[in-house]
Amino acid sequence: MAKEVEELRKALKESAEDIGGDTVWVGKNARSWHKELDGRHKKLGEQVDKLLPIIDAAIRSEPEKVSPSEARAYNKGI
């Protein structure tokens, strides 16, 4: 999961850099789009950074071992 988290963290980085680099698009609208996209990239990174601790906590809250019947019930969504 850590690999996927790293990919998500970088998801909008290249696009934000391209738009902000004055080679893909220039002008007032380009600056506005860059500011918006860069903000979304940063917010996405912040949210993704919270993901692994949440998943780790959920995994730790589960029992280490369960009986076969408990496993079947869990898989059935009971």
Side-chain angles (χ1 to χ4, degrees):
M1 186 74 185
K3 189 188 269 186
E4 286 82 5
V5 165
E6 189 58 35
E7 288 178 25
L8 285 171
R9 189 180 290 118
K10 295 177 184 178
L12 299 174
K13 181 178 173 139
E14 188 174 326
S15 299
E17 288 173 351
D18 287 347
I19 289 177
D22 291 334
T23 57
V24 174
W25 189 17
V26 296
K28 181 180 176 183
N29 288 337
R31 287 188 297 275
S32 178
W33 271 72
H34 170 67
K35 183 178 178 182
E36 175 73 21
L37 189 56
D38 192 51
R40 288 177 184 240
H41 164 68
K42 289 176 182 171
K43 184 166 184 140
L44 178 64
E46 292 169 2
Q47 295 298 314
V48 166
D49 286 341
K50 297 175 184 176
L51 191 57
L52 283 179
I54 291 170
I55 292 169
D56 286 341
I59 290 170
R60 281 193 304 273
S61 72
E62 296 294 325
E64 191 171 317
K65 292 184 178 184
V66 296
S67 69
S69 62
E70 288 173 314
R72 282 190 295 277
Y74 182 82
N75 286 330
K76 289 181 180 180
I78 296 175

